[in-house]
Amino acid sequence: MRTDNISFFDINDYCTPANKYGYLDLSNYYRILVSLDEESTNKLWGCELYDEEDGGINRQMLCLSFHEDTFYYMEDRIFLFLNAKLGLLINMYEEEYIDTDQLDEAMDIVQTILDNTDDRAVTDFGKKLLEMMQIAKSHGTIVGFCF
């Protein structure tokens, strides 16, 4: 299975986050994806993430993969700001998308967060997310949050 289009982020490389909701399910991956062409954008809209040939993430998508503990940490520090400003619902129960017409504002939000934090985990995660948004913009595609 090909994994060169996937990067992994683990909050435990930075800190041990408080478990604010009790049980953590660390067996599932949470994914933020960028489609690289129109066909993969259509697949991403339909949550068709996997390549039929090798079972990995579609080769025409870039993926940032992480676990539930990372989601909870970034929820209060990044995702809630995107939700509030863009009218999104990035949560662990729904798929959500930043469409092409929202990318500039989304990038501004993430850049503002980066400019106003000294939390290295937020900085590193935010930089990866910002890079993915820039790639989506350059390809005229979308960013998908598939949790």
Side-chain angles (χ1 to χ4, degrees), residues 83-133:
N83 288 343
K85 295 287 190 176
L86 298 175
L88 301 175
L89 183 58
I90 299 170
N91 68 33
M92 64 190 310
Y93 304 109
E94 306 284 335
E95 285 78 32
E96 186 60 275
Y97 305 91
I98 298 176
D99 206 348
T100 53
D101 62 343
Q102 298 174 303
L103 283 169
D104 285 331
E105 187 174 2
M107 288 186 294
D108 288 345
I109 293 164
V110 174
Q111 188 61 59
T112 298
I113 292 167
L114 292 174
D115 292 343
N116 290 286
T117 188
D118 59 358
D119 183 328
R120 197 168 61 91
V122 172
T123 299
D124 289 355
F125 188 92
K127 284 180 180 177
K128 288 178 188 250
L129 180 57
L130 185 60
E131 180 182 336
M132 292 179 80
M133 291 175 177

